Amino acid sequence: MRACLMAIGLMVAVWMGILAHTSEAARPTAPSMRALQGVNFVGSCTFSHSAKDDPIVFPRFPGLSHDHSFVGNTTTNASSTLRSLRAGSTTCKRGGEKAAYWMPTLLLNGQAVEPRGATIYYRRKTLAPLRAFPAGFKLIAGDSHATAPQDLKIAYWNCGAMSSIPASAEVPTCPNARTESLRLHVNFPGCWDGKHLDSPDHKSHMAYAVRGDCPASHPVALPAISVIFRYPITGGAGVTLASGGQYSAHADFFNAWQQRTLTSLVNGCLNALRHCQQGS
């Protein structure tokens, strides 16, 4: 009897060990920072229009802003609301991407230059899983009043990923306007306070992640957007922005996505640690 009980006890211990190991193996583990590299989904949007409007900084005051170049939603103006944007059309490849994006208009020797289009990356920069932006969310990244170089993690110029010209706070001279034309990049933060769709300065409701972690003041992880405007020029001397000099780069985002589409992309691409192509 004693031997039988010992045998039963040993079997129970073995099975408990197997179950514990199986449970541990099935438990989801947080990804590493290396695993986050290349995790994104990509938007492709053509130029829509220019206007001296800004529905985030100067809502309902047309003509009060410096000139902006708009991509994405075709109806963006000083009076834009979530409802009006949702009712509008988009220049983006995905029909559900009705978000509005804009940057200060680029000037060459004082003349406006329309962007060829924009590439918008939605990236995962946090170890914690992401939530989709709430409907009507507003955000500005970069400093429209900057008179000195901004942090290159926030805003920079280059000539494209295939060019040997490095990222710079100053406007570079690109080798070829057809294959290596001028680009302006603005990177948005990805950590939200979890409460406010906007803030008085249109920035402080968000913060940048540090080594994959959101600060305690902004604990909710959202996609980190990078907006890249592509221009049909080589850059160099004579290039400024309508907001001021070459250092005043900034970009605005007004979320009017079809929310189901956005949530599906966040979960199916970013939380699944996948790269999703433009329009996929």
Side-chain angles (χ1 to χ4, degrees), residues 260-280:
R260 182 177 296 180
T261 301
L262 178 60
T263 300
S264 177
L265 288 166
V266 169
N267 290 331
C269 302
L270 306 186
N271 287 334
L273 302 181
R274 295 176 54 225
H275 164 68
C276 298
Q277 298 285 347
Q278 294 180 0
S280 64

Side-chain angles (χ1 to χ4, degrees), residues 46 77 159 261:
T46 58
N77 59 39
C159 301
T261 301

Side-chain angles (χ1 to χ4, degrees), residues 2-278:
R2 188 173 187 181
C4 184
L5 289 174
M6 289 179 65
I8 293 172
L10 180 60
M11 290 178 62
V12 169
V14 170
W15 277 107
M16 290 295 289
I18 292 172
L19 289 173
H21 178 76
T22 303
S23 176
E24 188 68 29
R27 187 180 302 160
T29 58
S32 65
M33 289 300 294
R34 183 184 295 273
L36 299 183
Q37 295 178 11
V39 173
N40 56 60
F41 61 88
V42 188
S44 179
C45 309
T46 58
F47 173 72
S48 174
H49 61 283
S50 296
K52 292 184 177 181
D53 287 353
D54 191 324
I56 294 179
V57 179
F58 298 112
R60 300 178 300 281
F61 287 96
L64 195 58
S65 172
H66 54 257
D67 200 62
H68 285 109
S69 294
F70 296 87
V71 302
N73 201 289
T74 62
T75 68
T76 314
N77 59 39
S79 299
S80 289
T81 62
L82 174 61
R83 177 176 292 184
S84 71
L85 292 173
R86 284 268 179 86
S89 59
T90 181
T91 68
C92 298
K93 191 172 181 179
R94 286 188 185 87
E97 188 173 358
K98 292 193 175 185
Y101 311 94
W102 60 97
M103 280 193 183
T105 295
L106 185 142
L107 306 175
L108 178 60
N109 299 321
Q111 299 299 310
V113 177
E114 294 180 0
R116 281 179 172 156
T119 303
I120 297 101
Y121 286 88
Y122 284 70
R123 294 186 167 103
R124 179 167 171 176
K125 293 287 190 178
T126 60
L127 300 174
L130 309 184
R131 286 173 52 181
F133 290 102
F137 188 88
K138 302 174 185 177
L139 183 61
I140 297 175
D143 185 357
S144 63
H145 303 292
T147 57
Q150 299 186 57
D151 190 327
L152 294 185
K153 293 179 180 178
I154 299 175
Y156 64 90
W157 304 87
N158 76 357
C159 301
M162 303 304 293
S163 174
S164 61
I165 304 298
S168 174
E170 286 79 28
V171 176
T173 298
C174 300
N176 187 308
R178 186 175 62 85
T179 60
E180 298 179 72
S181 63
L182 186 64
R183 270 91 160 161
L184 178 56
H185 300 239
V186 176
N187 298 322
F188 288 71
C191 297
W192 180 38
D193 65 11
K195 301 175 183 177
H196 303 100
L197 300 183
D198 197 1
S199 52
D201 63 357
H202 315 295
K203 297 180 181 182
S204 59
H205 56 307
M206 290 287 286
Y208 288 89
V210 179
R211 293 185 293 275
D213 293 322
C214 285
S217 58
H218 296 75
V220 181
L222 300 178
I225 300 176
S226 295
V227 177
I228 307 167
F229 271 33
R230 307 184 307 275
Y231 300 97
I233 60 172
T234 57
V239 172
T240 58
L241 294 169
S243 50
Q246 60 182 324
Y247 299 129
S248 64
H250 61 285
D252 299 55
F253 166 65
F254 192 144
N255 179 31
W257 274 85
Q258 290 179 358
Q259 202 65 21
R260 182 177 296 180
T261 301
L262 178 60
T263 300
S264 177
L265 288 166
V266 169
N267 290 331
C269 302
L270 306 186
N271 287 334
L273 302 181
R274 295 176 54 225
H275 164 68
C276 298
Q277 298 285 347
Q278 294 180 0

